[in-house]
Amino acid sequence: MTTFGTSTNQQRGDFQRAERERERIERESREREEQNQLSEEQKEEIKEAFHLFDLDKDLKIDYHELKVAMKALGFDLPKAEILSILQTHGAPSEPPNPNVPHHPRLLLSFRDFQSVMTQRILARDPREEILRAFELFDEGGKGKINLNDLRRVARELGEGLEEEELAAMIEEFDMDSDGAINREEFLEICMQ
């Protein structure tokens, strides 16, 4: 009877291993499909952010490195959300010296970072992104971009635009003729 029990346990173990392997293959296939939806520029931005903030160059990032890498990609998340990502996708760090007790940190590999960032980028609402860009132009939160705002942004970006060119931009997109571009007009410009 012990042979039967051992055989059943072995079959159960084989089934569990096969099931984990099937799930891994499905997950990797899903991740590849998602990554194919990103532009080459977005893929490169993810790669650059990871490598820039992987300060110790171990191809894994910790909490602090993850937080700044995500912020660089436009995701300023609270501590609890960063920790949740690490708990879901991270792996514990290896002890530097096996003879010395150590408190493992959770680390995220490049592949897992790429997967998390791909999902987040694909889930972005384009209107929300456009309105965030509008806020960068709209100094003081007036709800409108005026000629002074446009002049400031052009100067900050090093664009050598003439005053007439800036005024023409405002005039072209100012649908209500108030001398400025409001949120709705900005959204319409960007969503075309």
Side-chain angles (χ1 to χ4, degrees):
M1 185 109 160
T2 52
T3 310
F4 177 73
T6 303
S7 175
T8 303
N9 286 340
Q10 185 176 358
Q11 288 173 341
R12 191 174 309 130
D14 290 344
F15 175 77
Q16 289 171 341
R17 275 189 294 284
E19 186 65 18
R20 281 194 304 271
E21 180 65 13
R22 183 188 63 74
E23 289 171 358
R24 183 188 64 77
I25 291 169
E26 284 178 4
R27 184 183 68 247
E28 288 176 0
S29 174
R30 217 177 20 256
E31 288 171 1
R32 274 192 302 279
E33 287 175 26
E34 288 173 344
Q35 287 174 17
N36 287 337
Q37 295 176 37
L38 294 180
S39 69
E40 288 305 313
E41 182 180 344
Q42 289 169 318
K43 291 175 189 176
E44 189 59 31
E45 286 174 355
I46 291 171
K47 183 178 176 184
E48 285 177 11
F50 182 89
H51 292 296
L52 179 65
F53 295 107
D54 176 16
L55 300 177
D56 51 6
K57 305 299 179 208
D58 63 353
L59 300 179
K60 295 180 178 99
I61 54 177
D62 64 14
Y63 169 84
H64 299 287
E65 295 166 331
L66 175 60
K67 184 160 181 66
V68 292
M70 290 187 77
K71 190 168 188 170
L73 291 169
F75 297 93
D76 192 9
L77 303 179
K79 181 177 184 174
E81 208 167 332
I82 298 284
L83 290 173
S84 175
I85 290 169
L86 284 168
Q87 289 165 350
T88 304
H89 302 280
S93 61
E94 297 293 323
N97 181 346
N99 300 325
V100 176
H102 112 115
H103 302 286
R105 302 173 305 157
L106 289 173
L107 302 173
L108 200 62
S109 70
F110 174 68
R111 194 180 124 251
D112 290 327
F113 177 76
Q114 191 175 37
S115 174
V116 167
M117 294 315 304
T118 296
Q119 290 169 8
R120 289 193 175 259
I121 288 170
L122 292 175
R124 276 184 179 162
D125 177 2
R127 293 177 56 88
E128 188 178 304
E129 295 295 308
I130 291 167
L131 290 174
R132 281 188 25 216
F134 178 86
E135 290 170 9
L136 295 174
F137 281 86
D138 178 19
E139 188 171 52
K142 306 173 297 299
K144 296 179 179 263
I145 300 170
N146 60 28
L147 188 57
N148 289 334
D149 293 326
L150 206 51
R151 189 182 303 120
R152 175 186 50 80
V153 171
R155 187 177 52 249
E156 288 172 0
L157 295 175
E159 295 292 329
L161 297 171
E162 299 294 320
E163 190 76 13
E164 298 80 33
E165 293 174 291
L166 296 171
M169 286 181 194
I170 296 279
E171 188 177 321
E172 181 178 351
F173 298 110
D174 178 16
M175 299 304 167
D176 59 5
S177 300
D178 65 350
I181 299 170
N182 63 35
R183 282 184 176 80
E184 291 72 32
E185 291 165 339
F186 191 79
L187 273 167
E188 192 169 317
I189 294 165
C190 295
M191 295 296 280
Q192 292 178 355

